[in-house]
Amino acid sequence: MAPALDDYRLLGRSGLRVSPLALGTATFGTEWGWGAERAEARKLFDRYVGLGGNLLDTADTYTDGSSERLLGEFAHEERERLVLATKYSTLRRPGDPNSGGGHRKALFGSVEGSLRRLGTDYLDLLYLHVWDFRTSVEEVLRGLDDLVRQGKVLYVAISNTPAWQVSRMQAIADLRGWSPLVALQLEYSLIERTAERDLIPMARELGLGVIPYSPLGGGVLSGKYGRDDVGATGAGPDGSTRRSHNLALGTLTERSLGVAGVVREVAGELGYTPAQVALAWTLRKPGVTSTLLGARTPAQLEDNLGALAVELTDAQLARLDAAGAITLGQPHELLASEPIRRVTTGDLRIETRR
């Protein structure tokens, strides 16, 4: 039986129940050149929540604050049943170095602003958005724990941070009795799989639920781009700046279009869209709790939600895995090699978690 938005999953080591697909609201507002106006954003919210979805994701600086303001307005009447997740650490005021970063001043200022824009007195889930390589882990963790003790934040999480730093933070939080991290948000898709080397295995070991963002690779896996777009400049045919954004990030390449081609083939065999197949792949990966949707229109959201009904065969999963496969590098490949396995476990074949 196909899962539904109200087939909730536990988030990491917490008891918090969340939907298998989360609604990302970076598309709420048009300040970045490609989002949804208020009326369209409201349709996205109503459809997702109406089907039982409960995890809504934003950040303090998404669409210059419009994302939080619109989400707060829409969520007001159903606040208690929704899980509102936001983030801090990106620069809120150009020219003010203390308006961004992981430190306490940025943290407390960002959270107070988010609470005002969202129109709530607590956040269900707060992420450190981007690691700054300057603030000590103790300062970050103690600041987050203080907010939890004050009741302004219920659970804490992290995004865009090296695996070694996250594992260090989780160990310190456990040893000192501070609030542990319960989720790890990272870029993960068929065309961006480097998280499989360390981040995802680490999350599974340490009790963090994995929440992939950009599961369609900026739209590349939806089939909207062709090889002519790789060398293009400027806005796309629809006037959107999304294509130039993907080119700048290195998401739109010959390799990624090759992976998208395999996704399109599998989609044709199943009678689903490429976007649905790409999302279904992430939903079936070990460690993934909830995948973020970045729909801009109701039609895109409806298509994305259809991923819940996709059933991939073992052969199709193998083809998709092979299309976007990466080398794990050292020490992973050394440890998985036959000679090393013989000298460490004899002739036994012991399954290892990835």
Side-chain angles (χ1 to χ4, degrees):
M1 193 171 182
L5 285 178
D6 56 0
D7 289 334
Y8 303 113
R9 303 173 174 183
L10 291 176
L11 182 58
R13 62 165 69 179
S14 78
L16 187 65
R17 281 81 164 169
V18 299
S19 297
L21 292 173
L23 182 61
T25 65
T27 57
F28 285 20
T30 57
E31 286 80 359
W32 289 356
W34 45 265
E37 298 281 1
R38 181 188 177 283
E40 288 291 279
R42 181 74 206 221
K43 291 177 185 177
L44 297 173
F45 174 89
D46 286 344
R47 181 57 174 163
Y48 175 79
V49 173
L51 291 173
N54 74 341
L55 180 55
L56 297 117
D57 182 272
T58 184
D60 57 349
T61 54
Y62 282 173
T63 52
D64 302 336
S66 286
S67 174
E68 286 188 331
R69 283 190 291 270
L70 290 172
L71 177 57
E73 176 190 338
F74 303 158
H76 179 71
E77 293 182 0
E78 300 192 73
R79 174 66 187 96
E80 284 303 305
R81 89 168 187 86
L82 300 177
V83 177
L84 301 186
T86 192
K87 312 176 191 72
Y88 90 99
S89 77
T90 52
L91 202 67
R92 289 172 289 126
R93 293 183 299 277
D96 178 3
N98 284 321
S99 69
H103 54 87
R104 287 178 70 95
K105 185 172 177 64
L107 169 60
F108 281 74
S110 174
V111 166
E112 291 299 332
S114 291
L115 291 172
R116 287 193 301 271
R117 286 186 292 273
L118 288 166
T120 184
D121 55 6
Y122 72 96
L123 304 172
D124 295 288
L125 184 63
L126 177 67
Y127 291 91
L128 186 149
H129 200 165
V130 182
W131 188 252
D132 69 7
F133 289 99
R134 292 173 175 82
T135 309
S136 70
V137 294
E138 291 83 1
E139 182 175 348
V140 172
L141 288 168
R142 180 55 192 271
L144 292 171
D145 186 66
D146 284 346
L147 287 169
V148 172
R149 292 174 190 271
Q150 292 171 15
K152 294 183 178 181
V153 173
L154 301 187
Y155 297 97
V156 296
I158 197 159
S159 177
N160 300 312
T161 300
W164 61 269
Q165 196 66 281
V166 178
S167 60
R168 179 182 173 211
M169 294 174 75
Q170 195 74 320
I172 291 173
D174 286 344
L175 287 170
R176 299 195 178 181
W178 291 340
S179 299
L181 304 168
V182 302
L184 173 68
Q185 192 174 127
L186 43 74
E187 184 175 359
Y188 187 48
S189 72
L190 273 162
I191 60 174
E192 176 44 74
R193 295 176 57 182
T194 52
E196 293 176 359
R197 293 184 176 129
D198 292 298
L199 283 163
I200 292 177
M202 173 212 66
R204 297 180 69 194
E205 288 286 342
L206 299 181
L208 286 83
V210 174
I211 300 184
Y213 69 81
S214 199
L216 299 182
V220 175
L221 293 172
S222 70
K224 68 186 293 183
Y225 297 108
R227 282 181 165 75
D228 290 343
D229 291 302
V230 174
T233 59
D238 60 355
S240 169
T241 60
R242 196 62 190 258
R243 182 178 66 183
S244 58
H245 182 70
N246 285 331
L247 286 167
L249 291 176
T251 306
L252 186 49
T253 64
E254 290 287 346
R255 173 189 173 275
S256 65
L257 289 174
V259 177
V262 177
V263 173
R264 190 164 53 249
E265 292 171 6
V266 172
E269 295 167 6
L270 292 170
Y272 287 97
T273 67
Q276 290 168 340
V277 168
L279 288 167
W281 178 86
T282 66
L283 287 169
R284 284 153 181 76
K285 300 305 287 185
V288 171
T289 300
S290 184
T291 297
L292 270 171
L293 305 180
R296 184 177 56 82
T297 67
Q300 288 175 348
L301 176 62
E302 208 64 42
D303 181 78
N304 288 176
L305 294 174
L308 292 169
V310 177
E311 295 184 10
L312 296 165
T313 66
D314 290 342
Q316 288 166 337
L317 279 170
R319 282 165 59 197
L320 292 170
D321 281 338
I326 60 167
T327 57
L328 294 182
Q330 299 296 0
H332 309 290
E333 293 180 11
L334 173 69
L335 298 177
S337 67
E338 191 67 28
I340 295 299
R341 193 163 55 239
R342 281 201 303 270
V343 300
T344 55
T345 62
D347 292 327
L348 297 175
R349 289 192 173 274
I350 301 175
E351 182 179 348
T352 58
R353 279 188 286 180
R354 293 239 350 241

